[in-house]
Amino acid sequence: MNGSQGTKDRHLRIIPVPPEVCIGDPGVISLDRRCVKSLDLLPGECCRLVARTGIGWVTMAGDPIDHVLVPSAILQFIGPGRMVIEAAGEDNLQFEIEIGAAQ
């Protein structure tokens, strides 16, 4: 196994999981236009994002795909890894966030 393959295996992978997989207390975050929020997920942590208003651009360490968060969209990630969320549209971004243990 080469070094880059081993590193890739340690990074976060986005997997489809049902809503009941992420157990935690939800909160709401508001970001002004072009502002950025980053979160480091620990191994086994689940993060669910649900946009209320605005458009968000979400990237994850080790994930080659960038994700767009639009109103009513739900994105879920399982750690470990760093997630970066940017308010990408003309308006502020407001989203619900829930971080907890993946089951």
Side-chain angles (χ1 to χ4, degrees):
M1 173 186 342
N2 65 35
S4 63
Q5 180 64 36
T7 300
K8 181 179 177 187
D9 287 345
R10 288 192 305 260
H11 285 295
L12 173 91
R13 296 196 182 174
I14 309 260
I15 58 172
V17 290
E20 63 274 6
V21 168
C22 194
I23 307 300
D25 294 323
V28 176
I29 294 178
S30 294
L31 293 177
D32 291 335
R33 186 172 161 256
R34 298 288 177 219
C35 286
V36 173
K37 172 78 175 167
S38 66
L39 300 164
D40 290 316
L41 297 179
L42 299 174
E45 275 188 317
C46 176
C47 179
R48 181 185 307 130
L49 306 174
V50 181
R52 289 183 171 183
T53 61
I55 298 173
W57 188 266
V58 184
T59 60
M60 291 296 300
D63 183 0
I65 300 170
D66 291 341
H67 303 272
V68 178
L69 186 60
V70 297
S72 298
I74 299 172
L75 298 176
Q76 288 193 140
F77 305 91
I78 303 290
R82 175 167 284 195
M83 175 174 44
V84 178
I85 307 159
E86 178 183 353
E90 293 299 316
D91 298 319
N92 296 346
L93 172 65
Q94 185 179 67
F95 59 95
E96 297 173 25
I97 184 167
E98 183 177 348
I99 299 175
Q103 291 191 349

